[in-house]
């Protein structure tokens, strides 16, 4: 079962592992750079996922991890300005 990433409000950290749902919760409004850094650390150090090339994040099964469109949409809009 692959990990899923969801955004959520009122989290204690930028990235929170939810083992019951096999998902990672990401603080809504967090900067994409911080999210990727925190996710990479959680996935590789805490969960034993393989290291992906560049900014690619991998699940512990080796599949590419998709980020929520809301996170990517904000980053693309910011780059277009």
């Amino acid at each position: 079962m692959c990990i899923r990433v969801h955004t959520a409000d009122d989290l204690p950290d930028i990235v929170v592992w939810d083992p019951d749902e096999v998902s990672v919760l990401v603080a809504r409004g967090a900067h994409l750079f911080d999210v990727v850094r925190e996710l990479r650390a959680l996935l590789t150090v805490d969960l034993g996922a393989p290291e992906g090339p560049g900014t690619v994040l991998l699940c512990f099964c080796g599949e590419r991890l998709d980020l929520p469109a809301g996170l990517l949409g904000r980053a693309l809009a910011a780059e277009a300005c």
Side-chain angles (χ1 to χ4, degrees), residues 1-3 43 47-53 56-66:
M1 177 179 288
C2 282
I3 296 170
L43 292 167
L47 300 177
E51 184 85 28
V56 173
L57 300 170
L58 300 177
C59 178
F60 43 69
C61 71
E63 291 291 318
R64 186 182 181 129
L65 196 69
D66 293 323

Side-chain angles (χ1 to χ4, degrees), residues 27-33 35 68-81:
R28 193 179 319 276
H31 190 274
L32 184 60
F33 177 78
V35 170
L71 282 174
L72 299 175
R74 277 186 347 102
L76 294 175
E79 289 178 10
C81 292

Side-chain angles (χ1 to χ4, degrees), residues 1-9 11 13-28 34-44 46-47 49 57-60 65-68 71:
M1 177 179 288
C2 282
I3 296 170
R4 291 185 206 99
V5 179
H6 305 282
T7 55
D9 294 317
L11 295 176
D13 293 306
I14 293 174
V15 173
V16 177
W17 169 242
D18 182 356
D20 295 333
E21 297 294 325
V22 190
S23 64
V24 176
L25 301 174
V26 174
R28 193 179 319 276
D34 295 331
V35 170
V36 170
R37 183 188 70 234
E38 295 287 325
L39 271 174
R40 181 176 303 283
L42 174 88
L43 292 167
T44 59
D46 298 338
L47 300 177
L57 300 170
L58 300 177
C59 178
F60 43 69
L65 196 69
D66 293 323
L67 296 178
L71 282 174

